[in-house]
Amino acid sequence: MAGTARRRPLGVVTRGTTNPNRLRRVDNWIAATCGDRLRAAADPLVVDLGYGATPVTAVELRARLAAAVRADVRVVGLEIDPVRVAAAEPAADPPWLTFARGGFELAGLRPALVRALNVLRQYDESEVADAWRTMTGGLAPGGLLVEGTCDELGRLGGWVLLDADGPRTLTLAAKLGTLGGPAELAERLPKALIHRNVPGEPVHEFLRALDDAWHAAAGYAPFGPRQRWLRAVESVKAAGWPIVDRPRRWRLGELTLPWPTIAPT
């Protein structure tokens, strides 16, 4: 770790807002979707990039992956701000959970997976592609990057799954019990898409179709928001949107699309 600290971190200090369980949805999705890749990794190293003012989400990530994927997973929390790194040290549990200074260059580490949530939200859209390339360029062979954003309580979120070849999928997720409608997800699109929710852009067309399907499924509301969401997702899939996951993920308030389907024009 001492050797990697000499690298100049790439990026800027973010606001650092965080809360316990804020990233529970994305963590559970990572365990279910990326678990096989981590199980096959020679070194199950995971980087939590930009964990924020407190290390709680890094602690939770390590615990969740250790329980659901493999017990020997190692998580390194990286922050540009050295004050945050020092403040996180009491939560460290070497070698399973450690903290270091680093940015998009990943402090010279070669992780099997990187989680970067609520980091690029504070950058310009024009900076996203370079940040993606820098992070994916530092992955171990076959490694994955999960980059996106969520609200302060983790009730709404959107994230992109990338590998060395670029973005593969977009996942949208919501706590169905508090969801007023799919249009709310537009506020938590990843930075690459949040300014593209305008007519003529695929992501705008998809969110409009999903919101229309949600309102058309109002008759299912008495059976609960889950049944209404399931009906809405089934409807947009039947209309031709190539949703790639299965109903067991939809029941959790999720859906995943191939990136080319909603990539910016």
Side-chain angles (χ1 to χ4, degrees):
M1 200 62 69
T4 61
R6 299 190 189 95
R7 287 176 173 263
R8 180 178 179 274
L10 299 178
V12 297
V13 177
T14 59
R15 288 192 298 270
T17 306
T18 191
N19 286 299
N21 279 325
R22 183 183 187 185
L23 303 184
R24 177 176 60 86
R25 295 182 192 285
V26 67
D27 287 354
N28 291 340
W29 182 89
I30 287 171
T33 306
C34 309
D36 287 346
R37 194 72 63 93
L38 281 174
R39 292 184 191 97
D43 180 10
L45 173 62
V46 175
V47 162
D48 181 16
L49 182 63
Y51 55 83
T54 74
V56 61
T57 55
V59 173
E60 292 171 344
L61 178 62
R62 156 62 193 165
R64 288 170 183 144
L65 294 182
V69 180
R70 56 188 289 181
D72 62 340
V73 68
R74 296 187 299 120
V75 172
V76 177
L78 293 182
E79 262 290 345
I80 288 180
D81 186 354
V83 174
R84 292 178 183 172
V85 177
E89 280 304 316
D93 182 22
W96 314 118
L97 176 63
T98 56
F99 299 92
R101 191 170 181 230
F104 297 136
E105 82 301 331
L106 307 181
L109 300 171
R110 298 285 284 176
L113 186 138
V114 174
R115 184 189 70 180
L117 264 287
N118 303 304
V119 175
L120 289 179
R121 183 174 178 82
Q122 298 173 54
Y123 286 73
D124 289 332
E125 183 184 353
S126 61
E127 299 175 280
V128 171
D130 282 345
W132 279 357
R133 279 191 292 268
T134 301
M135 288 186 282
T136 56
L139 294 171
L144 298 170
L145 164 65
V146 179
E147 186 277 312
T149 187
C150 67
D151 69 346
E152 288 74 10
L153 297 178
R155 293 177 176 176
L156 297 169
W159 51 86
V160 182
L161 177 67
L162 304 97
D163 59 17
D165 295 323
R168 294 171 49 184
T169 61
L170 168 72
T171 297
L172 301 176
K175 182 178 180 180
L176 296 178
T178 59
L179 183 67
E184 295 176 359
L185 289 162
E187 302 172 6
R188 299 298 163 176
L189 288 170
K191 189 67 180 188
L193 294 173
I194 195 165
H195 300 301
R196 302 296 182 137
N197 186 32
V198 294
E201 290 284 349
V203 71
H204 174 79
E205 301 306 317
F206 175 73
L207 286 176
R208 186 176 65 179
L210 183 61
D211 203 55
D212 288 346
W214 171 266
H215 289 292
Y220 287 78
F223 302 103
R226 177 174 293 158
Q227 292 304 315
R228 187 176 181 180
W229 172 263
L230 285 168
R231 177 60 181 171
V233 176
E234 288 170 355
S235 179
V236 294
K237 184 168 185 176
W241 290 96
I243 297 171
V244 299
D245 46 11
R246 296 182 179 276
R248 64 186 179 87
R249 302 307 306 178
W250 306 349
R251 291 178 60 81
L252 302 175
E254 298 173 4
L255 63 84
T256 298
L257 289 162
W259 179 256
T261 303
I262 44 74
T265 58

